Amino acid sequence: MTNWLPDLSSGSGPLYQRLADSIESDIDKGVIDAGAKLPPQRDLAYDIGTTVGTIGRAYQLLRERGLVSGEVGRGTYVLAQRTEIPKADIEPAVHGTRPIDAPTGKLRFDSTAAPDVGQGAVIADLLARTAQEHPHDIASYTRDFPERWYEAGSRWLSRSSFRPSPDSIVPTLGTHAAVMAAIAALTTPGDYVVFEHLTYSQISRSAGLIGRRTALVSADDEGIDPDDFERVCAQKHPKMMFVMPTAKNPTLVTLSAERRQAIARIAREYNVVLIEDDLYGELTDDPTPLLAEYAPERTIVAGGLSKSVAAGVRGGWLSCPPAYRHRIRVAHKMMTGGLPFLLAEVGTRLVISGQAVEIRKRCIAEIQARLHVVRETLAGFDFKTRDNVPFVWLTLPDPWLSGTFKNACLAQGVLIDDEDEFKAGRSEQVFHGVRFGVSQPRQSQDVAGGVAVIRRLLDEGRAGYDSFS
C-alpha cells in the first residue's frame, strides 16, 4: 500500500489496540481492499512514531480477529471477509479474554443470555403501561421502593424449599450488581474474597477494581473441596466466598448436599459470608437445598432475569440476613448510581403477573432443542451439558490448547470462550477446556452451523488451523 496512514486520533486503550481498531475500521469501510498488503512493520513504526514491537502486536491482534494473514518473508495481507455465516448485530462486550468490541460478522457463542422467544412483545406492553401509569416516577430518581418490588424478588428467588421473606430482599440492577453490592458493603479494601479457580470471573475482576484480594480454592468433579476451603480460611482469613453451587459456570458442576453442609460448617467456624449465585440454578429442577438453608445467618442468595427471561431488562434481586439489608442497599446505590424505576417496575410486573415464568418455560424449551443439536453433533467427544442450562463445557482432545482452539473458532466466524475467561486469578491449574453458549444465535440453524464448525475443528485436529494463514 502507498499513501495510507491509520487514524489514531480517536478510540481508547493502548496504542497497538487503537492501531488494530483503526485498520479494522478501514477494512470494513473499503479503504483497505481485500488482498492489500499492509505496510512493513518497520516502515509503519517510523511513519507514526512508535516501536516495531507495537506494530507487531497490532498486526497479531488483527490476525487473531481473522482479518489478515502473515507470511514470513512476504508481509501481512488483508483477507477477504468470510461469507459462510451471515452477519449478526453484535453488541459491545467487555470481558477478560474477549475484545472490547466483539468482531462484527461473527456468530456469538460467547454469551448465555436468554434466547429470543418473542418476549420483546410482552416487555413492550409492560413498558408502555408503566410509562402511562407512572410518568412522574420515570421522570425522577428512585428513592422509595414499593412493596411489590420486594414481593417480586421473594417469588423469583424461591426455589426448592427455599422461600425468602420479602423483608430479606434487595432489588438490584441485575445479578452482577447484586453480588458486587454485597462485596462492597460487607468487606473492606485489602480483604480476601474466595473464588474457585474456574468461575464467573467477572466478579473477581470487579472486586479487584475496588481493592479486594482474591484467594483461590480448589475444586474437583464434585465442586469445591471442603478441605481446601478450610485451608484457605485458616491461612488467608477471608471475609467472603463467592460460589455457584448449582450448574456452575463454566463447568456445570453441582455441589452435593454433603459438600454444601461441609462448606456451611466451615464458613460458620471461620466467620465467612457466603454469596450464593443461583442464576443458572433458576433454570434447573435440582432438588438439592440451597446453601442458604444450611447457613441462613451468613448466606446471600442472588438471582435475576438475564438467563431465563431477558438480559436487557437487568432485573435482579438478592436475599440476605436482615442485618445486612440496609448496608447492601446503600452500597448498591453507590456502586450503580441507583435503580431505574422503569426497569425495576417492568421486572416486577413480569414476575408478579406470571409472565416471567411463562417466558422461562419457552426459553427452556428453546435451550433444550439447541442442546439436542449439540449432543448429536459432538457425540464421541468429551463435553458436558445439563438440561435447561444454555452452555457447554468442552474438554479439548490433545494437542489442542484452550486459547488456540478459541482462535481457530474465531477464524471460522464463531466466538467462544477459552478457560482463561473464567479464571478468577493467576492459577497454575490447566483444564484444556472451552465454554460455548447456545442461546444467543437468533436462529436454530445458526446454532447447528456453529456447532458444526466446532466439530470440524475437533475432527481435523490442530493441523486444521494455522494462525498465520
Side-chain angles (χ1 to χ4, degrees), residues 290-402:
L290 272 66
L291 265 175
E293 298 184 65
Y294 296 112
E297 82 287 356
R298 63 184 58 257
T299 304
I300 297 164
V301 179
L305 304 177
S306 62
K307 310 304 180 186
S308 52
V309 179
V313 174
R314 305 306 300 151
W317 300 269
L318 64 78
S319 170
C320 62
Y324 300 157
R325 186 185 181 197
H326 178 71
R327 277 186 286 167
I328 293 176
R329 179 171 165 177
V330 172
H332 178 268
K333 181 178 180 180
M334 292 180 175
M335 296 283 287
T336 66
L339 189 60
F341 182 92
L342 186 61
L343 294 181
E345 180 66 15
V346 168
T348 292
R349 292 188 180 205
L350 281 166
V351 173
I352 297 295
S353 67
Q355 293 176 96
V357 171
E358 291 304 313
I359 292 171
R360 179 167 60 187
K361 289 178 182 177
R362 300 208 304 268
C363 287
I364 286 173
E366 181 64 25
I367 290 167
Q368 284 293 88
R370 296 180 179 202
L371 288 177
H372 177 72
V373 172
V374 172
R375 290 162 178 158
E376 283 198 335
T377 306
L378 297 186
F381 288 95
D382 185 4
F383 65 94
K384 292 181 182 178
T385 61
R386 173 157 185 165
D387 283 351
N388 308 348
V389 180
F391 62 86
V392 180
W393 177 247
L394 171 64
T395 300
L396 298 169
D398 186 65
W400 279 111
L401 303 176
S402 179

Side-chain angles (χ1 to χ4, degrees), residues 10 163 233 298 345 467:
S10 61
R163 297 289 185 272
C233 289
R298 63 184 58 257
E345 180 66 15
S467 61

Side-chain angles (χ1 to χ4, degrees), residues 174-236:
T175 308
H176 182 107
V179 174
M180 287 308 302
I183 292 174
L186 305 178
T187 66
T188 58
D191 285 345
Y192 277 106
V193 179
V194 180
F195 297 90
E196 295 174 71
H197 287 257
L198 284 185
T199 187
Y200 175 60
S201 62
Q202 296 292 304
I203 297 296
S204 66
R205 293 170 187 153
S206 299
L209 288 175
I210 59 171
R212 277 55 170 178
R213 293 187 288 174
T214 292
L216 297 177
V217 63
S218 295
D220 55 26
D221 291 340
E222 298 179 16
I224 292 173
D225 180 351
D227 291 338
D228 197 53
F229 177 43
E230 187 161 20
R231 175 194 64 80
V232 170
C233 289
Q235 292 181 356
K236 302 286 189 180

Side-chain angles (χ1 to χ4, degrees), residues 1-10 17-39 44 48 59 62 65 67-68 78-79 81 87 104:
M1 298 184 63
T2 59
N3 301 322
W4 172 87
L5 283 177
D7 180 6
L8 302 177
S9 61
S10 61
Q17 182 175 297
R18 286 188 282 131
L19 174 58
D21 291 343
S22 176
I23 295 173
E24 180 176 357
S25 176
D26 283 349
I27 292 172
D28 288 341
K29 295 174 182 175
V31 176
I32 305 176
D33 295 326
K37 181 181 179 181
L38 294 184
L44 186 55
I48 66 175
Y59 281 15
L62 291 169
R65 294 178 182 178
L67 297 172
V68 302
V78 176
L79 295 173
Q81 294 298 295
K87 289 193 175 186
T104 56

